[in-house]
Amino acid sequence: MGKTATRISFQSRLLRPADGGSWTFLQLPPNSSEMLQTRNSISVEGTMNGFPFQVCLQPDGEGGHWFKVEPELSDGANARPGDNVDVELSPMAVELEPEVPNDLKEALSQTPKAFAVWTDTTPTARRDWINWMTSGKKAETRTIRLGKMIDMLSKGKRRVCCYDRSGMYSKVFTCPTPADEP
């Protein structure tokens, strides 16, 4: 594993996904990802072209990281797809809260024991549960995992077992494939 970095600076190209999506993303150069203390998701704060942001870096399944660049960030950084951007970032002291899918919110609201354990876990544990639940390839897998998740939480289980947070072994995480340059 790499060393914990207080500040990581790099330049990278703002990319669009090859699947035709209108959103953009940024992949950290390998030497920048190596400076982080984890191959897993990690919350960071920093600047892009001097514009501040906070994001949760996603693992790319190869030991690196990437993140989706929200329109507010690309607009604030005056950056368009294909532009090289200057980025500075550092790990946050407190992890960002994950976005909870609606079906999970509904299931938690109907199961007080599961909700109590859920709210008593860390943002990282909650992110792992969500990633495990949503990483199945079929809709029925997600439904099955949601049921198992609620059952395990109801029984006091705080972490999903045997979950590959980096995606390096399970290959459940990947960086989007960039579109060809215009």
Side-chain angles (χ1 to χ4, degrees):
M1 293 287 163
K3 298 176 183 175
T4 302
T6 55
R7 178 69 70 192
I8 301 169
S9 300
F10 60 90
Q11 191 173 78
S12 189
R13 187 174 306 276
L14 192 59
L15 304 167
R16 282 206 189 279
D19 67 7
S22 61
W23 54 282
T24 57
F25 69 96
L26 189 140
Q27 188 168 17
L28 275 66
N31 62 335
S32 296
S33 275
E34 289 172 6
M35 296 175 72
L36 295 165
Q37 69 263 30
T38 182
R39 301 300 107 221
N40 312 323
S41 62
I42 182 172
S43 296
V44 297
E45 57 190 348
T47 61
M48 181 171 23
N49 289 348
F51 190 80
F53 68 89
Q54 293 181 334
V55 297
C56 182
L57 298 179
Q58 299 301 312
D60 67 6
E62 302 293 327
H65 297 88
W66 70 279
F67 67 94
K68 183 176 181 179
V69 177
E70 297 294 340
E72 298 80 25
L73 176 55
S74 57
D75 290 345
N78 196 28
R80 304 291 170 252
D83 288 354
N84 283 324
V85 294
D86 294 313
V87 178
E88 288 189 0
L89 56 82
S90 58
M92 292 178 62
V94 176
E95 284 289 320
L96 294 171
E97 282 294 330
E99 186 173 332
V100 180
N102 289 333
D103 54 349
L104 177 55
K105 283 181 189 175
E106 179 68 23
L108 288 168
S109 73
Q110 295 176 6
T111 317
K113 286 183 180 179
F115 182 73
V117 174
W118 174 263
T119 58
D120 192 44
T121 62
T122 66
T124 300
R126 290 190 285 273
R127 186 176 301 111
D128 288 350
W129 280 111
I130 292 167
N131 286 338
W132 175 74
M133 182 189 90
T134 61
S135 65
K137 293 180 179 148
K138 297 179 181 179
E140 60 219 41
T141 303
R142 178 184 175 124
T143 302
I144 290 167
R145 287 184 181 176
L146 174 58
K148 288 181 179 181
M149 179 178 167
I150 294 300
D151 181 61
M152 288 187 277
L153 286 165
S154 294
K155 293 175 180 171
K157 187 166 183 163
R158 299 172 56 81
R159 301 291 300 227
V160 64
C161 176
C162 308
Y163 178 66
D164 174 21
R165 296 182 67 227
S166 71
M168 292 174 67
Y169 307 102
S170 63
K171 300 299 178 196
V172 296
F173 297 117
T174 60
C175 181
T177 302
D180 291 331
E181 296 285 327

